[in-house]
Structures are given as structure tokens and as C-alpha cells.
Amino acid sequence: MSKLFIPLATLLLTLSHSHAEIRQTSVWWLPRNVNMFGHEIDFIFYVILWITGITAVAVFSVMIYFIVKYRARPGVPAIHSHGNNTLEVIWTTIPVFIFLALAIYGNEQWTRMRLRTPPADALPVAVVGEQFGWNVRYPGPDGKLAKMTAAKVSKENPFGIDPQDPDGHDDFTTYGELVFPVGRPVRLYLSSKDVIHAFYVPEFRLYQDMVPGRVYDFVWFKAEATGYFQLACNQLCGQGHYKMFGKLSVVPEPEYEAWAKGKAPAATASSESSSTPVAVAGR
Ligand code: CUA
């Protein structure tokens, strides 16, 4: 049985042709980064990797050397050491400064990504998770999304909007399909209909939990390159968690405009559920 597993798994993976770009290079390493914020995240990842890597090699080398050098030998008495204060001070002070530097840098990047107000010209896009798919809402020609209210999110009204909201009349929705213009900031409005899901795009270095009862309006990004990616749910949310992914494309702005123009405006909240297919569209 176990002998069959790998060929079978390979076959299944080959058959389930996915929309996302297939990684030909760095399969064992990070996927490419296309988000403006990703450079700093990758930078601090490599800094930590180098610091911990060098420390691990140094510590284990010294340890192995001492194990061999001071091994028990007949006739050689053990040395009783009471420690060395100078060494203790040095190897406590250095890590303190390293940790402080990492914390300050990390905090600064987090502030930049999540605590500052997203740019005013950002494209607002609402994404509401459900078992097991993604409701997506885009603004129409007015560039404005209907206001989302967490308390109003329901099965029939996944975006928690007021049907009378004039900003919402030209909005359009998709299910599991996301298209973003390259080089333009996108501001997300994230929520969930049922359980905790998570918006996760590895190529964006972007991860945000979506807890029902909340609307997260502080997540934004700017894609710097075009491509096809996968939006993956990254919180175990039920039996269908493994197939909860969305097709995500980053395209040139005119291509985005053309795509958006071809979408019909969303109906009002009451009839919206009829446009929601049961399974993830496309696969
Ligand atoms: Cu939604 Cu896992």
C-alpha cells in the first residue's frame, strides 16, 4: 500500500491541473515575491536564517570539539570550572542587541504594512470566506464598495451590506475569482460567514485570519509583477479546507479594467445568494 502512495499522489497532482503558476525554480525554497512589502519580509527572514545558522554551526562545532578533547581518559582528573563572568556578560549582551534590532525592524515593517492607513487611491476589494470558498466583491465605475457591517454578514448577505447603499449598486461579485491590477495598491475588506478562515497568498507574503463577526479593513498590498497565483485558506476550517482556494491573477491595469467592465453589477443582497455556486468555481 505504502509503495503505491507516491506514484498515486504524483498522478493525482498531475491530473489536478491548477490555475496557479507551476514553480519550476526554487521548488525547495521560497516562492517568488510579487508584493511591495515582500522584500522586507524576505530580508528579515534571511537575516534570521543566517544568524541562527552561523550560531548553530559555531555552537555545535565547539561542543563536538570539547566532547572529544575532554573525554574521560584513565589517569586524567576532571577539571572543576566555576564559569567565567566575562564570557557570560558577552554572550548575553550580544543576543540582547540582536533581538532588539530584530524587534525594532519587525515592528517598523508591521506598522508600515498594517497600521498605516492604506493609500487613498487603493482599489477596494471585499473577500468573505465561507465553507469552502471565497465571495469576492469589486467596486463598479464609481470606485466605491458598499459599506460592510460585520453584524449584517449572513448566508443571504455575505458582504453584510445595506441593499439601499448607493455605493453598492454598481458593485459586482465573483466566486473564487480574483483579478488585481499590477502596480496599484489594493485594499482588502476581509470577513467570514461561518468559521475562521485565512487569506493567504505565499507570493504576496500576505496572511490574515478572517474571524466571523469582524471586518478587517487594514490589509493592503501592491503587486509588482503579473502572474497567476493561488489564494489559499490557511486555517483548518472543516472537511473541505483542502480545496478552499481561489484563482488569483495580477494583470496590467487596462486588462483589469476590461475584465471589470465585463462583469454585471451585483444584485441586491436578497437575490445575491442565487449567484453563488455551491462548489469553488473552476477548481
Ligand atoms: Cu477556510 Cu480553511
Side-chain angles (χ1 to χ4, degrees):
M1 186 60 208
S2 61
K3 263 189 183 168
L4 269 174
F5 178 74
I6 289 176
L8 207 65
T10 315
L11 181 72
L12 281 175
L13 282 174
T14 319
L15 289 177
S16 63
H17 50 92
S18 78
H19 169 84
E21 60 186 45
I22 296 163
R23 283 164 65 186
Q24 308 284 7
T25 55
S26 75
V27 174
W28 302 103
W29 205 238
L30 302 179
R32 77 181 172 120
N33 161 52
V34 298
N35 184 5
M36 174 184 128
F37 292 132
H39 308 287
E40 288 77 11
I41 293 173
D42 287 3
F43 169 74
I44 201 165
F45 171 84
Y46 284 114
V47 167
I48 294 172
L49 188 70
W50 276 108
I51 293 174
T52 51
I54 291 169
T55 309
V57 169
V59 166
F60 284 115
S61 309
V62 171
M63 193 181 75
I64 291 165
Y65 173 74
F66 281 3
I67 287 173
V68 175
K69 187 172 182 208
Y70 297 108
R71 67 189 182 277
R73 271 176 295 189
V76 181
I79 302 163
H80 292 276
S81 167
H82 294 283
N84 183 320
N85 279 337
T86 313
L87 275 179
E88 295 284 351
V89 169
I90 292 172
W91 66 43
T92 307
T93 312
I94 293 174
V96 164
F97 281 105
I98 293 175
F99 283 127
L100 274 177
L102 291 176
I104 291 167
Y105 183 80
N107 208 49
E108 209 162 281
Q109 295 311 321
W110 185 255
T111 307
R112 203 174 139 231
M113 285 187 284
R114 296 290 164 89
L115 300 181
R116 292 213 187 116
T117 315
D121 66 329
L123 171 73
V125 177
V127 182
V128 176
E130 67 174 27
Q131 287 172 317
F132 298 96
W134 307 92
N135 302 276
V136 190
R137 190 178 186 101
Y138 279 87
D142 69 354
K144 289 185 199 151
L145 269 184
K147 189 178 160 35
M148 287 170 79
T149 309
K152 284 188 192 151
V153 172
S154 68
K155 207 169 184 306
E156 295 72 35
N157 187 1
F159 299 98
I161 60 156
D162 176 355
Q164 307 306 323
D165 189 334
D167 289 343
H169 291 329
D170 60 347
D171 292 358
F172 65 90
T173 63
T174 77
Y175 195 78
E177 188 190 2
L178 299 102
V179 177
F180 296 128
V182 70
R184 181 171 167 197
V186 174
R187 179 180 187 168
L188 296 172
Y189 292 80
L190 304 171
S191 194
S192 168
K193 258 164 84 171
D194 35 41
V195 299
I196 303 175
H197 303 280
F199 186 98
Y200 177 48
V201 184
E203 288 84 354
F204 287 4
R205 308 292 190 266
L206 179 61
Y207 176 103
Q208 177 62 52
D209 276 355
M210 302 147 89
V211 178
R214 282 192 68 178
V215 173
Y216 299 79
D217 62 355
F218 48 78
V219 178
W220 67 284
F221 62 88
K222 190 165 93 181
E224 293 176 327
T226 57
Y228 300 101
F229 310 105
Q230 220 174 59
L231 164 64
C233 176
N234 208 16
Q235 281 288 359
L236 185 55
C237 54
Q239 278 189 329
H241 163 69
Y242 73 96
K243 62 176 178 188
M244 183 170 167
F245 55 80
K247 295 171 165 188
L248 194 159
S249 324
V250 177
V251 298
E253 179 101 38
E255 211 173 298
Y256 165 77
E257 299 290 348
W259 173 80
K261 212 169 265 178
K263 295 281 176 182
T268 46
S270 53
S271 58
E272 206 157 31
S273 56
S274 61
S275 66
T276 305
V278 185
V280 175
R283 277 207 304 181

